Amino acid sequence: MKEKKKFRLFDAVLMAVVVILVVESAAPAAAIGSSQFFWWGILLILFFLPYGLISAELGTTYTGDGGIYDWVKMAFGRRWGARVAWFYWINFPIWMASLAVLFTEVMTQIFGLELGTHVLILGQLVFIWAVTFISCFPVSDSKWILNLAAFAKVAIMVCLGVLGIYHAVTKGMANDFSGRALLPSFDLESLSFISVILFNFLGFEVVTTLASDMENPKKQIPQAIIFGGILIAFFYLFAAFGMGAAVSADQLSTSGGLIDSFILLVGGINPFVIIIGLLFMYTLAANLISWALGVNYVAFYAAKNHDMPKVFVKENPKNEMPVGASIVNGIVASVLVIAAPFIPNENIFWAFFALNVVALLISYIMMFPAFLKLRKIDPDQERPFKVPGGPTLLKIIAYVPFILLVITLFFSVVPLSSTEFSEKIPILIGTVVATIIGEICIRLGDKEYAKKQVEKNQDKRSVEHENN
């Protein structure tokens, strides 16, 4: 009797929600102010929709474990694929470190604790290695963790939105929501936060890694992306309104802004706020667990092709999970949180989180031209889901998100005024360092790949000689 697949459409939609609905980034996005609604709306149309369509086509057409790495490699060759794999991976341990810091910040915030640096670091290390351990097992084994996290995220967003509406009706708004205030100001500070909104949209290709666990992936993946996308857009905007009603944008903390909003909306810390805080802390771990599957498999798959360091090839023979990538994630994140007290930045969460956002956005840049290239060089490949439109429309769908990513990264990394130096220089330095290390790994991979090709050719000639 054929074993029943473990993931239904319902599970896939929840997976999309838990992967893409990133609650901790709602506060940095809300820091833009009332004009965030303009940016949410315009980027939903110009980035989120085309990205979702392209992810659905590529994910259902090329179903290998490499995901975005495979797509770019097939289109533009090994080196570009390796660069994508590197930035796609390196963002993850940086993100893990940022969420570990946020985890302890929320814990001390809701319980009113004053803990020393060493105790905080210990708590962060426990968080990191708990996530690392769970990530060493198949995602279907922890499906209940992800499904529960999806409901927890929805509960947080809905409560924030409902309380925001109540606050607006009874006490007024903390921010100006008039027509003019909703228009973008295009000031440098706001433009640098737009990268967070784009970050909030990413992750659909992780859902495509569940294809082997679905009953009908060719149908379910596009449906999961469409239904999940609609839910995600609604919850982001609803929560953004709640925060906008509670906290003035210029006073909104990028790390504690969400909990601050609840405290202001209900008039202080009470059991309700504590429950919300605990749910929030739970979703931080679930975010990482849900992303680990896609990130670790890309690193593992790229390493097998000599495009990432050999350590990522290590897997668990019992469940074939890429434990090498998981362990390296834990080690890198641990080093970062231990080094954090020595970083000259008051907001360590934002320092790590902003760098992780930049690294992830870089990894997606080549995905959009790869989509066009694969349509051109591989036209006969069966495409269960195909982005509709002629050549001109397809170029618009691909290049508009591409241009948005490039512009957003520029404003996120390059300091354009003296007031931005202290915040952006560490991000710029981190990006440069990550790029240099990645290029070194790629060159070493080239040598290893060339060596294996020589050995393969020698073996082939030996066999031919023996046959003759």
Side-chain angles (χ1 to χ4, degrees):
M1 182 175 178
K2 187 177 179 181
E3 182 182 354
K4 183 176 177 62
K5 296 294 184 180
K6 297 181 180 180
F7 267 85
R8 302 160 295 165
L9 174 60
F10 177 75
D11 297 317
V13 171
L14 289 182
M15 180 67 168
V17 172
V18 76
V19 169
I20 302 168
L21 191 63
V22 185
V23 179
E24 70 272 12
S25 63
I32 297 172
S34 300
S35 63
Q36 66 169 308
F37 294 99
F38 169 87
W39 291 115
W40 279 108
I42 200 71
L43 293 176
L44 275 168
I45 298 170
L46 297 182
F47 184 87
F48 186 71
L49 180 59
Y51 161 67
L53 291 172
I54 289 172
S55 296
E57 176 172 323
L58 294 176
T60 54
T61 302
Y62 305 100
T63 56
D65 291 335
I68 190 173
Y69 156 76
D70 255 349
W71 308 336
V72 174
K73 182 179 179 180
M74 285 187 288
F76 299 110
R78 286 186 61 253
R79 283 194 175 181
W80 278 110
R83 291 184 180 106
V84 166
W86 171 258
F87 279 105
Y88 194 70
W89 168 75
I90 193 61
N91 101 89
F92 187 80
I94 300 172
W95 187 29
M96 186 183 292
S98 73
L99 296 196
V101 172
L102 183 58
F103 183 89
T104 54
E105 284 188 8
V106 174
M107 180 178 66
T108 56
Q109 187 179 16
I110 62 175
F111 292 113
L113 303 174
E114 292 186 10
L115 303 177
T117 302
H118 293 88
V119 177
L120 290 173
I121 291 176
L122 179 61
Q124 292 158 13
L125 291 175
V126 170
F127 173 87
I128 288 169
W129 286 101
V131 170
T132 299
F133 175 77
I134 296 173
S135 300
C136 291
F137 297 90
V139 70
S140 55
D141 292 351
S142 54
K143 183 177 70 174
W144 66 271
I145 295 177
L146 304 182
N147 287 355
L148 180 59
F151 286 112
K153 290 184 177 186
V154 169
I156 293 171
M157 296 296 210
V158 169
C159 288
L160 188 54
V162 170
L163 287 172
I165 293 174
Y166 177 78
H167 188 280
V169 172
T170 59
K171 300 179 181 179
M173 302 290 292
N175 291 282
D176 182 7
F177 277 73
S178 64
R180 180 172 294 181
L182 294 174
L183 296 176
S185 61
F186 296 102
D187 61 280
L188 296 178
E189 186 176 358
S190 295
L191 291 173
S192 65
F193 279 117
I194 293 174
S195 60
V196 180
I197 296 181
L198 294 184
F199 173 82
N200 288 341
F201 291 149
L202 299 176
F204 273 133
E205 75 287 342
V206 176
V207 180
T208 67
T209 63
L210 300 175
S212 61
D213 285 328
M214 292 181 179
E215 296 174 351
N216 186 0
K218 294 180 180 180
K219 183 178 180 181
Q220 287 176 309
I221 287 177
Q223 288 178 331
I225 289 174
I226 292 170
F227 295 142
I230 293 172
L231 288 173
I232 290 160
F234 170 77
F235 291 128
Y236 269 136
L237 292 172
F238 198 48
F241 175 82
M243 265 186 280
V247 188
S248 176
D250 58 357
Q251 298 177 356
L252 190 65
S253 165
T254 54
S255 57
L258 186 135
I259 300 299
D260 287 341
S261 299
F262 276 106
I263 292 172
L264 288 169
L265 288 168
V266 301
I269 296 179
N270 57 24
F272 173 75
V273 173
I274 292 174
I275 291 172
I276 290 293
L278 292 172
L279 289 176
F280 184 32
M281 292 164 65
Y282 176 79
T283 65
L284 298 180
N287 285 344
L288 295 167
I289 294 167
S290 63
W291 269 85
L293 176 71
V295 171
N296 291 345
Y297 264 121
V298 167
F300 169 77
Y301 190 77
K304 287 181 68 176
N305 290 285
H306 311 294
D307 290 330
M308 288 283 280
K310 289 182 180 180
V311 65
F312 293 105
V313 178
K314 183 176 177 57
E315 64 177 339
N316 186 331
K318 294 182 179 180
N319 57 24
E320 298 181 341
M321 289 295 292
V323 294
S326 292
I327 293 171
V328 174
N329 291 338
I331 293 172
V332 174
S334 298
V335 170
L336 289 174
V337 299
I338 292 171
F342 303 99
I343 297 175
N345 193 313
E346 293 182 1
N347 192 342
I348 296 300
F349 162 73
W350 177 249
F352 286 151
F353 187 75
L355 181 57
N356 125 249
V357 168
V358 168
L360 187 63
L361 293 184
I362 290 174
S363 71
Y364 279 87
I365 288 178
M366 296 305 294
M367 169 183 164
F368 299 97
F371 160 72
L372 294 177
K373 185 74 176 291
L374 290 172
R375 275 285 191 102
K376 182 179 180 180
I377 66 176
D378 194 19
D380 298 326
Q381 175 69 37
E382 180 187 358
R383 287 170 166 78
F385 174 82
K386 195 171 184 179
V387 179
T392 301
L393 180 59
L394 291 180
K395 288 180 179 178
I396 293 173
I397 289 174
Y399 282 118
V400 169
F402 173 84
I403 293 170
L404 283 172
L405 280 176
V406 173
I407 293 174
T408 301
L409 283 167
F410 176 80
F411 284 111
S412 300
V413 173
V414 180
L416 299 176
S417 69
S418 58
T419 58
E420 293 185 312
F421 269 78
S422 61
E423 183 175 303
K424 290 188 178 179
I425 286 297
I427 301 172
L428 179 60
I429 293 173
T431 303
V432 171
V433 170
T435 301
I436 292 172
I437 295 174
E439 290 300 315
I440 292 172
C441 291
I442 291 170
R443 295 306 186 275
L444 293 175
D446 285 344
K447 292 180 179 180
E448 184 68 21
Y449 179 78
K451 179 182 177 182
K452 293 295 182 182
Q453 290 299 110
V454 170
E455 292 175 354
K456 187 182 295 185
N457 291 334
Q458 289 175 344
D459 292 342
K460 183 178 179 181
R461 283 195 295 268
S462 299
V463 171
E464 290 176 350
H465 180 72
E466 291 176 0
N467 291 337
N468 292 331

